[in-house]
Structures are given as structure tokens and as C-alpha cells.
């Protein structure tokens, strides 16, 4: 089975490294990284990932706009997007879903099982391992 390609979009390097570390502990994925929404849109155009973790608040292009642009791409509707935000406010989850995200995770991600469950549900073929 081909390894799932996961795009991690996060402007904060430390947060990005933590998420990448957690993903590597969950399974054997091909991980691609972006530091802003504009990079994410370009990567989706050229590399067609299987799943995207999208930070919502970033410079250059935020995750809200990047999600809308990804959804407008020909292949953009088939790629699950999980929104990430550190400033979880009431209504943010509904706003993220309305913007085109498939799920939502508040940062910091403390429980890797939450990430694993969402990935398994959205990918339907996530390879899991020790946490």
C-alpha cells in the first residue's frame, strides 16, 4: 500500500515540528511541510496530498483563505482538511467546517490519539503504530 502523503501547514516552526513528530509516531507517512497558506495551495496543486493539517492563523495567506482556494481547485474537494488553531473560540469549529474544513483540532495537540482517530476516519487507510 502506498504511504499517505500528509501536508502540514503551520507558520510556527516549533508547532510544525511537534505535529510532524506526532505524525511519525502514528504511522509511516510521507510528510510535506508549508509555512503559510500560499505555499499550501501551491503544494496541493503540484503534489496532491491525501490529507492536510491547516493552521488557521498565518501570515501571507491564512488557513481560511487557503482552504477556500484549495476547495476551488479541481482536485481540492477530495482532500480532507483538518483545521488547527491555538486560539479556539466558541463557534470556530463551525466556522472552519463552513469554510471547507472536514474536521478541527485545537492546539496544542496533547492527545495523539485524537489526531490518529481523525486521520483514520478521514483517510480510511491511515497506517497506525505505537504512540
Amino acid at each position: 500500500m502506498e504511504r499517505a502523503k500528509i501536508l502540514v501547514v503551520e507558520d510556527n516552526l516549533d508547532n510544525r515540528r511537534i505535529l510532524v513528530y506526532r505524525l511519525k509516531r502514528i504511522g509511516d507517512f510521507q510528510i510535506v511541510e508549508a509555512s503559510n497558506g500560499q505555499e499550501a495551495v501551491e503544494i496541493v496543486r503540484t503534489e496532491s496530498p491525501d490529507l492536510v493539517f491547516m493552521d488557521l492563523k498565518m501570515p501571507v495567506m491564512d488557513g481560511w483563505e487557503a482552504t477556500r482556494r484549495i476547495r476551488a481547485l479541481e482536485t481540492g474537494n477530495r482532500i480532507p482538511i483538518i483545521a488547527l488553531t491555538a486560539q479556539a473560540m466558541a463557534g470556530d469549529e463551525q466556522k472552519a467546517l463552513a469554510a471547507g474544513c472536514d474536521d478541527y483540532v485545537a492546539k496544542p495537540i496533547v492527545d495523539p490519539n485524537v489526531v490518529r482517530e481523525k486521520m483514520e476516519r478521514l483517510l480510511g487507510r491511515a497506517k497506525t503504530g505505537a504512540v
Side-chain angles (χ1 to χ4, degrees):
M1 180 186 292
E2 188 176 318
R3 293 188 313 164
K5 184 183 294 184
I6 310 296
L7 172 57
V8 175
V9 188
E10 168 66 65
D11 63 315
N12 181 292
L13 181 58
D14 290 334
N15 289 341
R16 196 166 64 237
R17 285 182 178 162
I18 290 168
L19 181 54
V20 167
Y21 171 79
R22 292 212 188 272
L23 291 172
K24 288 179 178 179
R25 300 285 293 164
I26 289 171
D28 182 26
F29 305 109
Q30 180 181 352
I31 299 172
V32 181
E33 300 177 39
S35 61
N36 64 63
Q38 185 174 333
E39 290 176 7
V41 173
E42 289 305 313
I43 289 170
V44 168
R45 276 192 186 118
T46 60
E47 299 192 33
S48 193
D50 298 299
L51 183 126
V52 176
F53 282 93
M54 179 73 72
D55 184 22
L56 296 176
K57 296 184 179 163
M58 297 178 288
V60 182
M61 180 188 296
D62 65 26
W64 305 106
E65 181 62 23
T67 297
R68 285 189 281 275
R69 290 187 187 194
I70 289 169
R71 292 299 185 222
L73 297 173
E74 184 176 329
T75 59
N77 279 327
R78 70 158 190 80
I79 302 169
I81 299 174
I82 299 175
L84 301 169
T85 186
Q87 300 170 338
M89 307 281 287
D92 274 359
E93 182 172 4
Q94 290 73 26
K95 186 177 173 187
L97 296 174
C101 294
D102 297 283
D103 212 328
Y104 177 92
V105 176
K107 296 185 293 185
I109 301 170
V110 178
D111 185 356
N113 290 319
V114 170
V115 173
R116 179 197 322 262
E117 290 167 10
K118 290 175 185 293
M119 290 177 66
E120 286 175 344
R121 182 177 55 78
L122 292 171
L123 284 176
R125 63 184 177 100
K127 298 177 185 176
T128 58
V131 176

